[in-house]
Amino acid sequence: MTLQTPPVYIAGVAETPLGEVWDQTELSMVALAAREAVAEAGMTLRDVDGIFVNYMGEEGSVQVGEYLGIQPRYADSSDLGGAAFEAFIHHAMLAVAAGRCEVALVAYASRQRTRRGRSMVRARDGSSLASQFEVPYGLPSPIGLYALIAARHMHQYGTTPEQLAAIAVAARQWARLNPKAWSRDPLTVQDVLASRMISDPLHRLDCCLVTDGGGAVIVTTAARARNAAKRAVRVLGAGESHTHWHISQMPDLTVSAGGVSGKQAFEMAGITPADVDVLEPYDSFTITVLMALEDMGFCAKGEGGRFVERNRLGPGGDLPALTSGGGLSYNHPGALGLLLLVEAVRQLRGEAGDRQVKEAKIAVAHGVGGFFSTAGTVVLARE
């Protein structure tokens, strides 16, 4: 069933400082991005009456609100990992449409690289089910769990390491066109396969970067969006889903929550995968992209490997994807979902410079969180 809501728009987007950030805190990074995003929307921080944040301290929206001097009418700090920000667009769209707030700020920042705060080891003290039933078997988190999924996909469908590597190559081709990308050196399939094996079958270059970064997005009404300093982009549809937390409870290792979130978003937007001009899929690992393509319906289940061959996702391909360079080559600050939205909006505005996709009218941002645990999908349109 398609949910009918009043039109809602993204009127401003911005990145925080990226890469290695030594001269800011996470809160000051958010403040910089929020000021830039509200300026694009033709507003100031005083106009913001909704806050949607994740991973920003123990109380999330409370700390951000205090720092920015905002007492919101509506706040949300739901934890869906990397998919939280696509889910926040969904929540903000519904809140704005219902009149619970008029100007929603979706924000995030991380200094995981400079803080050396990204651990691959889950707690071993017995305080969680994972420490009791999964950690003793030795899979490093999260890469070992994604490697398990990749291995199953290879076994079940014949997916090859070369096909996964093609995704990393496509991301790097786009990154070479993005002056803000962390990794811009040339990359080949053989380079990916020759990189160190981290967790079989995933090599180092099948894995995302570890960087600092974040961003801000402003969601608002059609009436407020008319006064934006830059072209506002309409939110056509959104969806979200989660299936499990422990990998042992994943219903099917080759099917992600994106099958549900993608269907919800596409149905709300009234589109099909064939209508998508630009795709910004979460690329924590190369397998994350391949599964998203299948589960959102860009190809049939099991055909993702063949689908990504012949540079289909790269510049000049028939499904431009990862156009910023993605988490594999541009930036991955622990949770990438917000930066996917920033890139999608810039593509629809025609602001992407050398990496601009011609005549981009419909873009999809697809976030993934946890251990393929959560998914959020947003369909955006240039009007």
Side-chain angles (χ1 to χ4, degrees):
M1 181 177 69
T2 300
L3 177 65
Q4 298 296 327
T5 62
V8 173
Y9 291 79
I10 292 178
V13 298
E15 296 152 307
T16 68
L18 304 173
E20 288 186 346
V21 181
W22 296 95
D23 58 346
Q24 301 283 340
T25 67
E26 288 82 353
L27 288 170
S28 67
M29 289 165 69
V30 161
L32 290 171
R35 284 185 175 183
E36 184 178 340
V38 295
E40 285 194 354
M43 305 176 190
T44 71
L45 288 174
R46 293 180 180 179
D47 294 294
V48 175
D49 60 354
I51 298 178
F52 298 75
V53 298
N54 195 11
Y55 298 139
M56 290 297 298
E58 293 179 1
E59 299 300 335
S61 63
V62 179
Q63 291 183 332
V64 172
E66 177 188 70
Y67 193 85
L68 298 180
I70 298 168
Q71 185 174 351
R73 292 198 292 139
Y74 195 96
D76 187 348
S77 294
S78 300
D79 183 3
L80 292 178
F85 309 97
E86 282 68 34
F88 284 155
I89 298 299
H90 185 201
H91 301 176
M93 175 180 67
L94 298 176
V96 169
R100 304 303 296 177
C101 61
E102 281 194 359
V103 180
L105 168 66
V106 182
Y108 172 71
S110 165
R111 293 177 61 235
Q112 62 163 10
R113 184 180 181 88
T114 53
R115 288 183 182 277
R116 299 182 180 273
R118 185 76 172 186
S119 174
M120 292 180 65
V121 179
R122 288 187 285 177
R124 297 176 181 272
D125 59 4
S127 61
S128 70
L129 291 176
S131 68
Q132 297 176 55
F133 299 112
E134 293 187 354
V135 171
Y137 292 92
L139 278 180
S141 174
I143 185 174
L145 311 185
Y146 281 81
L148 182 67
I149 291 166
R152 180 62 190 179
H153 202 281
M154 288 179 167
H155 171 77
Q156 190 161 326
Y157 296 113
T159 306
T160 68
E162 289 80 4
Q163 290 168 337
L164 292 179
I167 295 170
V169 171
R172 183 64 60 84
Q173 289 175 338
W174 286 111
R176 298 195 71 201
L177 302 174
N178 184 356
K180 293 184 177 180
W182 180 265
S183 298
R184 301 182 66 202
D185 294 334
L187 186 68
T188 68
V189 168
Q190 289 307 312
D191 291 333
V192 178
L193 300 181
S195 64
R196 183 163 61 95
M197 184 70 74
I198 303 297
S199 187
D200 194 6
L202 298 179
H203 300 80
R204 182 176 67 85
L205 293 175
D206 284 301
C207 306
C208 67
L209 303 168
V210 177
T211 64
D212 303 334
V217 172
I218 299 297
V219 180
T220 191
T221 64
R224 299 297 294 267
R226 291 191 190 100
N227 297 319
K230 291 193 174 184
R231 179 199 294 266
V233 169
R234 185 170 175 182
V235 182
L236 283 188
E240 61 186 278
S241 181
H242 54 81
T243 54
H244 65 282
W245 182 245
H246 300 94
I247 198 67
S248 60
Q249 302 306 305
M250 188 172 181
D252 184 332
L253 288 176
T254 67
V255 178
S256 75
V260 173
S261 66
K263 182 179 180 181
Q264 290 176 346
F266 285 19
E267 287 183 350
M268 184 183 293
I271 68 162
T272 70
D275 298 313
V276 177
D277 299 309
V278 183
L279 175 63
E280 306 299 345
Y282 206 96
D283 58 334
S284 47
F285 303 96
T286 50
I287 186 62
T288 318
V289 176
L290 189 144
M291 292 262 285
L293 291 167
E294 294 179 349
D295 292 337
M296 286 193 288
F298 289 96
C299 61
K301 178 56 64 178
E303 294 182 1
R306 290 183 294 276
F307 184 89
V308 301
E309 293 175 338
R310 297 183 296 279
N311 198 40
R312 197 165 192 173
L313 306 183
D318 58 3
L319 181 61
L322 310 158
T323 57
S324 66
L328 291 165
S329 287
Y330 154 64
N331 188 272
H332 197 292
L336 178 66
L338 195 146
L339 291 173
L340 302 178
L341 294 160
V342 172
E343 176 67 11
V345 168
R346 288 177 175 166
Q347 285 287 343
L348 294 177
R349 286 176 173 172
E351 295 178 343
D354 291 341
R355 66 186 189 278
Q356 179 64 50
V357 175
K358 293 182 179 179
E359 300 299 322
K361 296 180 180 178
I362 294 181
V364 170
H366 180 72
V368 174
F371 315 116
F372 255 127
S373 310
T374 69
T377 310
V378 175
V379 180
L380 303 173
R382 184 185 75 192
E383 290 191 329

